[in-house]
């Protein structure tokens, strides 16, 4: 369940019901009145914030959707899942019902029901996403070596790997000056524990 709080009154003013299991992430769209949630039920859900109506169930992932990000351009929704895939959603401003999806990373045209592009890069569960605020790109992170990847929007073209982590990355962030942060779990050999 997702709750919307009135911070001044310190009370819950809306509930959003629909996920079949725990909610892992949510993001507000920067220009549209929509909320996107993701969870352990392998879905992301798009909600009208005002009416609480569920607009879309973004299905296709086969494991927990660990992170979701919204960006103004196109506008887009990007999801990262523990099924080792990253997916994109394009939501047209004129209608919430006309969308295109990149699934694992595949670009889908829902009207035709066909995959347009398939890209495979992550080998382990994707747990974190970060959208660059000025560059029209994003990063995704998972476990193992070469586990942070940069992608170019809107087509989701792979740009390069960030090296330096050899752990499960749980969070990413980037600021407007291009300073990039990643946080993960360090695995120590048993002799150092």
């Amino acid at each position: 369940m997702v709750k919307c709080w009135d911070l001044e009154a310190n009370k819950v003013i809306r509930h959003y019901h629909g996920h079949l299991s725990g909610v892992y992430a949510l993001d507000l769209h920067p220009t549209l009145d929509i909320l996107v949630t993701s969870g352990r039920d392998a879905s992301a859900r798009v909600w009208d914030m005002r009416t609480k109506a569920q607009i879309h169930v973004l299905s296709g992932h086969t494991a927990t959707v660990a992170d979701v990000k919204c960006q103004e351009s196109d506008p887009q929704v990007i999801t990262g899942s523990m099924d080792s895939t990253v997916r994109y959603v394009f939501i047209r401003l004129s209608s919430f019902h006309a969308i295109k999806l990149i699934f694992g990373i595949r670009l889908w045209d829902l009207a035709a029901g066909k995959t347009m592009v398939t890209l495979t890069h992550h080998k382990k569960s994707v747990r974190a996403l970060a959208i660059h605020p000025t560059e029209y790109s994003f990063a995704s992170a998972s476990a193992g070596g070469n586990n942070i990847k940069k992608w170019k929007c809107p087509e989701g073209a792979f740009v390069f790997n960030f090296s330096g982590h050899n752990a499960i990355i749980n969070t990413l962030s980037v600021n407007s000056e291009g300073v990039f942060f990643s946080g993960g779990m360090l695995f120590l050999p048993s002799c150092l524990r």
Side-chain angles (χ1 to χ4, degrees):
M1 175 191 317
V2 175
K3 296 181 180 187
C4 176
W5 296 80
D6 179 329
L7 295 179
E8 290 179 12
N10 192 23
K11 67 178 186 175
V12 175
I13 56 173
R14 290 186 193 97
H15 293 87
Y16 300 88
H17 300 277
H19 281 282
L20 305 176
S21 193
V23 175
Y24 270 54
L26 58 84
D27 201 18
L28 299 171
H29 194 279
T31 58
L32 302 174
D33 285 332
I34 61 171
L35 163 70
V36 183
T37 59
S38 66
R40 203 166 60 200
D41 62 0
S43 74
R45 295 170 188 264
V46 181
W47 308 88
D48 183 318
M49 288 175 20
R50 294 161 291 147
T51 67
K52 300 186 296 184
Q54 184 174 276
I55 300 166
H56 291 298
V57 177
L58 306 176
S59 58
H61 283 297
T62 59
T64 297
V65 181
D67 203 1
V68 62
K69 297 289 187 228
C70 299
Q71 71 178 18
E72 183 176 351
S73 302
D74 288 327
Q76 296 180 3
V77 175
I78 303 168
T79 58
S81 173
M82 292 186 185
D83 65 7
S84 304
T85 66
V86 176
R87 300 176 184 233
Y88 252 58
V89 180
F90 296 91
I91 303 173
R92 294 191 182 122
L93 288 170
S94 59
S95 169
F96 285 128
H97 301 288
I99 61 177
K100 292 181 181 177
L101 303 169
I102 289 183
F103 279 97
I105 302 170
R106 291 182 193 145
L107 180 61
W108 290 79
D109 182 337
L110 288 185
K114 295 181 181 178
T115 302
M116 296 167 64
V117 178
T118 301
L119 305 170
T120 57
H121 290 69
H122 281 288
K123 295 189 180 1
K124 298 196 177 179
S125 63
V126 177
R127 294 174 177 248
L129 301 166
I131 296 174
H132 195 288
T134 59
E135 219 179 70
Y136 202 37
S137 65
F138 70 96
S140 58
S142 63
N146 290 327
N147 54 340
I148 302 174
K149 302 182 182 310
K150 182 177 179 180
W151 309 91
K152 183 180 181 334
C153 297
E155 69 279 358
F158 174 74
V159 179
F160 59 79
N161 289 315
F162 290 92
S163 60
H165 265 294
N166 193 17
I168 296 172
I169 307 301
N170 290 315
T171 187
L172 294 174
S173 186
V174 62
N175 70 14
S176 60
E177 296 172 3
V179 178
F180 186 61
F181 294 89
S182 60
M185 298 186 324
L186 178 63
F187 295 103
L188 296 173
S190 58
C191 63
L192 296 176
R193 291 185 198 158

